[in-house]
Amino acid sequence: MFAFTRQERQVILFVAVIGLVSICVRFAFKTHAPRGRLALFSPDAFKVSVNEAGMSELVDIAGISSSLAKNILAYRRDHGPLRSIEELKEVKGVGEKRFEKLKEVLIVE
Amino acid sequence: MNSQDKGPLVACTLSFACGIYAAGLLQAPFLPACIASLACLAGSFIFRRKHVLFAFCILVQFFLLGISILACSRFCPAHHIQRFNRAFSSASPVILKGRVISTPVTKEKKQQFRIRVETFEDRGYLVPCSGTLFVVAKKYHAVFPGEEVLLRGRLRRPFASAAVPHKRFVVKQKSTAGIITDAVVLKSSSQKMALRALFYRRISALREALQRLLRRDTSAVCAGVLSAMVLGDRGGLPATISNMMIRTGTVHILVVSGFNVGLVCFICMLVLKILRVPRLLRTLGCCCLAVVYCFVTGSSGPVVRATLMAVVFLCGRLFKRDADIGSSCALAALIMLAADPEELFDVGFQLSFSSVFAIIWLYPCLKAFIPPGIYKPPFLKMVLELLLVSLAAWLGTAGLIAWHFGLLTPVAVAANLFVVPLASLLTLCGFSMLITEALLPQAAWIFAPASEFLVHLLLMANNFFLRIPGACIRLWQD
């Protein structure tokens, strides 16, 4: 059997105590974690407001490149806020196919 | 320091790993294991002055800690996504919101990553939940660890084999809750965890820049091999090459491991020493660079092990302590298992540690069998030692490879004798190319032909060993 030195015994006991305490705390957090409240789902819950979104928010959306985001911002600057989601088709670079995808993630408020 | 003093940490880690394995086999409950662990801890305190009893208590204590940590990690709270059976059986896609927790990889034109799910939509309600899901996205979308993503896809159980073709990969990825197939990333945002996402964005940009440097003067095949060996990115590597290396038992050279981390540390130390940087700053700088390199290469099991060992070794040197490779390896394993006990069931983790432990302990035993007189010509001594290292590593990993992949590769012992020195030279060439490309691009072409030649030799050597009868024995079909 190997021999522990006095220092090793102290360190190993310390590690064992810390390990046991952290496992128990982790388990307690898992079992008693506050559960979020159930909310009524609106299909628009996750959508981004096209009139309020900035460059970074628009680029984060799948299907919007930085050039398209610039076009949307330019359209907003020239024509004012969009009045309906269909108006998005007027933006340069948005065809029928892309519009179908974008209307799932964008909203006009 | 005598050999007896080197054992305790290794024994504790082994005991801890055995506990995790036993918990995986027996589905042990958390509370009894935790109470027993507490009792053993009390025993360790009581018998702390009695060597044998203390050693016994502490080993049992680490075994029970292993059981507790896995039971805790596998515990499913009431709102765990796994419990929402209806979401899994639904034919229509679900919408989920979560946070990316792994570096996305692109395989077969599909993007794969893991998310920690936070809410999902169920029959008109937003349901808060927890758990980890494995995502297979139809198209590439630039997402990074730490970012919040909104997804739409079909939720499936990982073991519903007919529905999910990625069963083995999912198990390897430790995604116990489920898998989202045909996922579409609707939105990703890094606003809430800016620092972590920003760090990973920078690391990703650095990796891409390094890949571009490697591709600049080399062919696609050479760049693919170099990228795998130096940056740990096997995306550009033709499947035929990696399959060939699997069958000759030399695929480990395509994984970033101790040699690469050691090389990075050595280059950093050398440069800082030439610049006359004080010892403390030199060590800190070296540790930081090793950690950054670990992230750039994707933080896989072997590279995390090597980085931890390098940090322990460097810190040991700083405090003028003897570096014991077995203890530093055991400490690396203990840290990795404490952070994520599921790592024990990962093939990469098992192969990485078993090969290192085999080289540490089996190699001296094998060397003892060789009569001393045979070492007369120095060249023969070097060849014999290399052969014994290769044999030790093969003996250490052969069982695991046979168990996981159904392959027995006896040719690996001889193949590694040629392939490992070639791979070492190639890695050196790769690092030299990266440094010269970054500092003096005009001179980088010097290393490109050398790399091409070495890759050619490497493939030829592999091809030769593969043609030897009985080189690779398939024990069963996967």
Side-chain angles (χ1 to χ4, degrees), chain B residues 256-264 305-306 420 423-425 427-428 431:
Chain B
V256 173
S257 62
F259 178 67
N260 305 54
V261 177
L263 210 59
V264 168
R305 171 192 60 74
V420 169
S424 308
L425 282 175
T427 311
L428 273 172
F431 276 110

Side-chain angles (χ1 to χ4, degrees), chain A residues 50-75:
Chain A
V50 71
N51 284 328
E52 288 165 19
M55 182 73 181
S56 61
E57 267 184 279
L58 287 172
V59 170
D60 278 340
I61 297 167
I64 298 188
S65 61
S66 56
S67 61
L68 182 58
K70 275 181 196 159
N71 289 348
I72 293 172
L73 293 180
Y75 184 90

Side-chain angles (χ1 to χ4, degrees), chain B residues 15-26:
Chain B
S15 183
F16 186 64
C18 287
I20 294 175
Y21 188 72
L25 277 183
L26 306 170

Side-chain angles (χ1 to χ4, degrees), chain A residues 1-9 12-13 15-17 19-20 23-24 26-27 30-31 33-42 45-48 56-57 59-63 101 104-105, chain B residues 4-5 8 11-12 30 34 37-38 41 44 48 51 54-55 58-59 61-62 65 68-69 72-73 75 77 79 84 95 97 121 124-128 139 141 150 152 185-189 191:
Chain A
M1 182 69 81
F2 48 79
F4 287 92
T5 62
R6 190 166 174 267
Q7 266 184 333
E8 280 169 352
R9 272 202 297 266
I12 282 182
L13 273 175
V15 170
V17 171
L20 190 60
I23 291 169
C24 291
R26 200 173 154 197
F27 187 77
K30 266 191 157 182
T31 46
R35 191 179 167 179
R37 295 178 71 178
L38 210 67
L40 207 61
F41 177 74
S42 144
F46 295 126
K47 290 185 179 178
V48 173
S56 61
E57 267 184 279
V59 170
D60 278 340
I61 297 167
K101 284 184 182 171
E104 288 183 16
V105 280
Chain B
Q4 260 196 332
D5 294 333
C12 290
F30 175 78
C34 199
S37 180
L38 197 64
L41 189 63
S44 309
R48 67 184 181 278
H51 289 296
F54 175 80
I58 209 74
L59 287 185
Q61 152 79 1
F62 268 81
L65 269 182
S68 312
I69 201 166
C72 174
S73 137
F75 176 76
H79 57 287
F84 293 95
I95 294 177
K97 198 161 94 171
E121 183 264 324
Y125 282 94
L126 262 183
V127 184
K139 281 183 185 171
H141 185 79
L150 183 68
R152 192 187 53 218
V185 180
L186 299 174
K187 200 172 88 181
S188 64
S189 166
Q191 285 166 352

